[in-house]
Amino acid sequence: MTNTDNIQHPASNIQHHKKLNIYFTAGIPGLKDTTEILKIIQSSGAEMVEIGMPYSDPVADGPVIQKAHELALLNGMTIAKLFEQLKSVKSEIKIPVVLMGYINPVLSFGFESFCRECAESGVSGLIIPDLPPIEFEKNYRQILEKYRLNFSFLVTPETSDERIRYLDSLSSGFLYAVSSSSTTGNASKEINNGQYLQNLAALNLKNPVMIGFGIKSKDDFQKVTANAAGGIIGTAFVNILLEKGDWKAKGTSFIRSIIN
Amino acid sequence: MKNYKNPDENGYYGEFGGAFVPEMLFPNVEELQNNYLNIIESSEFKEEFRDLLKNYVGRATPLYFAENLSEKYETQIYLKREDLNHTGAHKINNALGQALLAKKLGKHRIIAETGAGQHGVATATACALLGLECIVYMGEVDIARQAPNVARMKMLGATVIPATSGSKTLKDAVNEALRDWINNSTTTHYIIGSVVGPHPFPDLVARFQSVISEEIKWQLKEKIGRENPDYVMACVGGGSNAAGTFYHFVNEEDVKLIAAEAGGFGVDSGKSAATTFLGTLGVLHGSKSLVMQTEDGQVIEPHSISAGLDYPGIGPFHANLFKEKRAEFFSINDDEALKSAMELTKLEGIIPALESAHALAVLEKKKFRKDDVVVICLSGRGDKDMETYLKHL
């Protein structure tokens, strides 16, 4: 993998389709399925992949991803094992790989060692939702730059314009816009925030904007990405991995159904 | 002497603290950070809060000289009777303070987590009094072992929601409450029950609980002519009663601080909640502190016979006291706590909460001088623990 941007060709947003980023938790349904899932996501036509690093206390996630984390930990997934798996498919995966997780396991691994492993495993960027910008600037930014890793901050409908600009200035690769201020996969909230997405687009941010949280269907995807570079689907895909049955076929057809 | 009392502007006590929250919670946490001191230090707030503490909670709580206990341990033991507060524990000090603060911030929906149920009952009480909607998250295991408090919360009008993930105890109740807060961030205030969570919660809760040490000072002056005891002791789960007991003494070198953690079956048993013995630096529930975790940074499910101490971390205030060796930490096993509870009941006619019994058990572990003045915070009463006590009689 040679790509160092989370999003390849950000200027290509004018393409007829928006970029699809698929999230899944490493270590489900089985410990060693990560590499196969990566290949499926790539071959089905998604342009990016976001891999969740399992954590015992994933407070920003809803019940589905929380369950995925629990299962992954039961299966024995660790950050070290994930890096091994990523290295084994490094030459085959061409789409950008982003790791998403909570700060505690990353700190336990050692932040600099973690970044070095990321660089060696072909990871292009990180999302750590509970790492605040003030900590990022003080302690971590330089390390990320040293290993040429991108970092995407989250913004929500409640984030002020001033803070969006600040978080955009610290981010690279893309800015992660949470569709509604909620945990992941919140089914009770309808995605109805055209104003917020238009506002984001009007801010002329330096990074392309990817929309995530609560996207379940092609319809949702098209709606939320109208004014963005692309969208991130997590819970709906993780559900397929958690269900009994042929997740390879189902996963492939799900991704294709969003793009086509 | 260093200043241990309050955090710096970013919420740090030494290397511990901060506000590690996802962006979805940032506006709430920022709103609190920007306003809490102005509101709670205003004379209007102080007056209202003081009035409630006096006339509703029943403060000041007595500082009771425990003569029989003193005789047995050959020292001068005073018990700070937080068990005599309305609702039966120190938790009401903080719950009322935060409920008042929430009203000032224009929030009408309150969420809380609870372990032993004392914080849940206190929050439900404050909400009933102030006309606020109340939702309490409680681990499924704790719901089973603290049935009387669950019934009280429901009677007070709160909705009790079981936390069914992980160990189904206090840690998981905090996770569920944080999820609720993320999903309802603009309407809701989260009344955290201990000195844990993102800044400013540890400082906020410590300030509301500091009424405990403030009273100890003048009460001791009245009783023995000096404000400072030789020792103050309290149990620590998250650490709110201990923070309140230490608060006005923490910067005074002549007072020694002792904290009792829940050893469970023993620190080496794999079934323990003694964080300073087993924990390492980590980030849990929004702050950097000592956390019981695996080498991979996965949080270990703790164990304690007392639901209120069944937590795999301690607040950053205490982590700093531990690191700086300002406080001495003891690990008290389940059986030692039970023994001390029975002893206090027999010698003084006071049935303590299992949590408080951990602090009492330090008396067996440390030798005091005959003229030492030792103040122990009796954080709550034992009614809620009757079923556990009866099993071990």
Side-chain angles (χ1 to χ4, degrees):
Chain A
M1 213 179 304
T2 53
N3 170 54
T4 54
D5 287 329
N6 286 354
I7 286 194
Q8 285 169 304
H9 316 301
S12 64
N13 292 344
I14 47 167
Q15 286 176 92
H16 69 282
H17 72 273
K18 301 295 182 173
K19 290 178 187 302
L20 174 63
N21 181 356
I22 293 286
Y23 167 96
F24 73 100
T25 306
I28 64 153
L31 175 63
K32 294 183 174 163
D33 291 329
T34 310
T35 50
E36 188 63 28
I37 296 168
L38 274 171
K39 288 177 198 169
I40 284 172
I41 290 171
Q42 177 171 269
S43 64
S44 307
E47 280 102 343
M48 286 180 67
V49 61
E50 190 180 313
I51 306 177
M53 298 175 285
Y55 179 46
S56 54
D57 295 77
V59 290
D61 287 296
V64 172
I65 292 180
Q66 187 190 359
K67 198 171 150 198
H69 282 230
E70 274 175 28
L71 176 62
L73 291 172
L74 268 177
N75 287 342
M77 184 42 104
T78 62
I79 290 176
K81 282 181 191 159
L82 175 59
F83 283 133
E84 273 174 39
Q85 294 177 353
L86 291 177
K87 282 174 191 168
S88 75
V89 285
K90 193 175 162 183
S91 59
E92 295 169 67
I93 303 299
K94 308 292 179 197
I95 58 173
V97 174
V98 176
L99 295 190
M100 179 174 195
Y102 294 83
I103 187 67
N104 195 51
V106 175
L107 289 180
S108 286
F109 194 93
F111 197 87
E112 175 141 14
S113 310
F114 178 84
C115 291
R116 191 185 309 116
E117 285 287 318
C118 281
E120 289 171 7
S121 307
V123 170
S124 64
L126 299 178
I127 304 166
I128 304 178
D130 59 344
L131 178 62
I134 182 174
E135 303 283 341
F136 173 86
E137 283 193 277
K138 202 165 69 181
N139 299 317
Y140 304 110
R141 186 183 198 166
Q142 283 186 328
I143 301 173
L144 287 160
E145 281 168 1
K146 179 174 167 190
Y147 293 97
R148 302 187 64 207
L149 289 169
N150 292 316
F151 192 95
S152 295
F153 277 96
L154 271 57
V155 298
T156 81
E158 270 81 49
T159 311
S160 68
D161 287 357
E162 187 191 356
R163 187 165 166 88
I164 290 171
R165 288 187 193 285
Y166 166 57
L167 294 171
D168 178 51
S169 76
L170 295 181
S171 297
S172 53
F174 67 91
L175 187 68
Y176 193 134
V178 174
S179 64
S180 63
S181 207
S182 66
T183 49
T184 56
N186 192 326
S188 65
K189 292 205 179 181
E190 201 182 324
I191 300 177
N192 182 19
N193 39 26
Q195 189 61 47
Y196 157 61
L197 300 176
Q198 277 174 31
N199 181 41
L200 270 177
L203 289 171
N204 287 321
L205 301 171
K206 101 177 171 181
N207 290 290
V209 173
M210 300 284 282
I211 316 287
F213 285 38
I215 306 173
K216 295 176 284 294
S217 63
K218 181 173 185 171
D219 197 38
D220 287 342
F221 185 76
Q222 286 181 332
K223 196 155 63 171
V224 299
T225 57
N227 288 300
I232 304 159
I233 298 185
T235 299
F237 186 76
V238 169
N239 248 330
I240 292 169
L241 300 179
L242 290 174
E243 280 167 7
K244 290 207 164 42
D246 186 358
W247 55 266
K248 294 177 191 176
K250 281 187 189 165
T252 302
S253 87
F254 174 75
I255 294 170
R256 290 193 175 141
S257 77
I258 303 290
I259 298 169
N260 297 322
Chain B
M1 186 96 186
K2 285 188 180 176
N3 177 17
Y4 295 102
K5 210 160 152 180
N6 301 117
D8 68 19
E9 58 178 336
N10 295 319
Y12 277 89
Y13 300 85
E15 65 180 291
F16 307 104
F20 292 79
V21 292
E23 187 62 23
M24 292 80 91
L25 284 180
F26 175 77
N28 298 44
V29 168
E30 187 190 37
E31 183 184 26
L32 269 180
Q33 287 173 352
N34 289 343
N35 295 299
Y36 82 108
L37 283 178
N38 285 341
I39 294 175
I40 70 174
E41 293 296 323
S42 71
S43 51
E44 182 201 343
F45 184 95
K46 276 185 175 169
E47 202 176 310
E48 209 176 337
F49 186 43
R50 291 278 156 181
D51 180 67
L52 281 174
L53 288 180
K54 184 180 172 194
N55 296 308
Y56 185 72
V57 175
R59 302 203 70 94
T61 58
L63 183 68
Y64 165 70
F65 178 63
E67 197 173 342
N68 298 330
L69 205 61
S70 298
E71 195 176 317
K72 160 132 202 223
Y73 289 100
E74 296 177 338
T75 192
Q76 310 297 308
I77 300 171
Y78 289 81
L79 300 177
K80 181 57 175 162
R81 298 291 308 273
E82 291 301 294
D83 60 316
L84 293 178
N85 280 321
H86 176 47
T87 74
H90 70 291
K91 295 288 187 184
I92 191 73
N93 306 323
N94 169 54
L96 263 180
Q98 284 204 51
L100 273 180
L101 173 65
K103 276 200 103 163
K104 307 272 180 213
L105 292 169
K107 312 275 183 186
H108 298 286
R109 184 175 179 274
I110 298 294
I111 52 171
E113 86 295 334
T114 198
Q118 294 299 83
H119 174 57
V121 168
T123 304
T125 300
C127 289
L129 178 73
L130 300 173
L132 298 161
E133 184 189 354
C134 181
I135 290 104
V136 180
Y137 289 90
M138 188 168 187
E140 217 170 38
V141 168
D142 294 339
I143 286 179
R145 60 179 165 174
Q146 304 283 192
N149 273 345
V150 177
R152 290 163 83 197
M153 283 182 261
K154 288 183 178 167
M155 190 168 169
L156 287 159
T159 305
V160 180
I161 301 180
T164 56
S165 64
S167 55
K168 304 177 178 59
T169 59
L170 183 54
K171 157 181 98 83
D172 310 291
V174 177
N175 287 340
E176 290 308 322
L178 283 168
R179 286 197 181 96
D180 181 312
W181 207 22
I182 288 170
N183 286 320
N184 300 284
S185 56
T186 49
T187 59
T188 300
H189 176 70
Y190 177 14
I191 301 190
I192 290 187
S194 196
V195 283
V196 300
H199 172 63
F201 281 104
D203 188 40
L204 180 63
V205 177
R207 284 170 190 265
F208 285 140
Q209 293 295 1
S210 71
V211 64
I212 300 172
S213 55
E214 188 186 314
E215 285 176 7
I216 293 171
K217 271 188 169 269
W218 63 256
Q219 288 171 322
L220 213 53
K221 177 92 177 166
E222 272 183 9
K223 284 178 193 296
I224 61 168
R226 62 178 164 108
E227 286 189 335
N228 285 357
D230 297 290
Y231 292 89
V232 286
M233 300 178 16
C235 64
V236 175
S240 73
N241 91 85
T245 308
F246 297 168
Y247 198 83
H248 286 90
F249 301 115
V250 73
N251 289 338
E252 300 191 16
E253 267 178 78
D254 57 325
V255 183
K256 297 174 196 77
L257 315 176
I258 292 180
E261 287 186 307
F265 291 173
V267 287
D268 300 322
S269 67
K271 300 274 259 175
S272 179
T275 304
T276 59
F277 294 86
L278 298 167
T280 50
L281 188 66
V283 173
L284 178 66
H285 298 146
S287 64
K288 191 183 271 188
S289 190
L290 293 170
V291 179
M292 286 168 48
Q293 55 186 329
T294 65
E295 278 183 10
D296 297 322
Q298 309 296 343
V299 179
I300 290 171
E301 291 174 3
H303 164 80
S304 167
I305 195 170
S306 58
L309 302 182
D310 206 347
Y311 187 71
I314 52 170
F317 172 91
H318 296 294
N320 190 43
L321 296 185
F322 173 74
K323 170 119 196 279
E324 296 288 329
K325 297 188 167 54
R326 173 66 186 97
E328 189 179 1
F329 283 72
F330 285 83
S331 167
I332 304 296
N333 295 349
D334 291 349
D335 54 346
E336 293 167 329
L338 279 166
K339 191 177 158 214
S340 291
M342 301 302 171
E343 182 180 80
L344 185 74
T345 306
K346 201 171 159 196
L347 287 179
E348 298 288 350
I350 298 169
I351 302 175
L354 260 169
E355 288 75 13
S356 319
H358 286 72
L360 292 162
V362 174
L363 292 170
E364 286 279 0
K365 305 222 157 192
K366 191 169 173 77
K367 185 73 192 147
F368 299 97
R369 289 198 319 241
K370 208 166 171 82
D371 60 349
D372 277 341
V373 172
V374 180
V375 174
I376 304 174
C377 182
L378 206 63
S379 57
R381 68 181 185 220
D383 308 33
K384 69 188 176 61
D385 297 313
M386 286 317 294
E387 207 174 310
T388 311
Y389 285 147
L390 288 173
K391 268 190 218 155
H392 293 87
L393 264 179

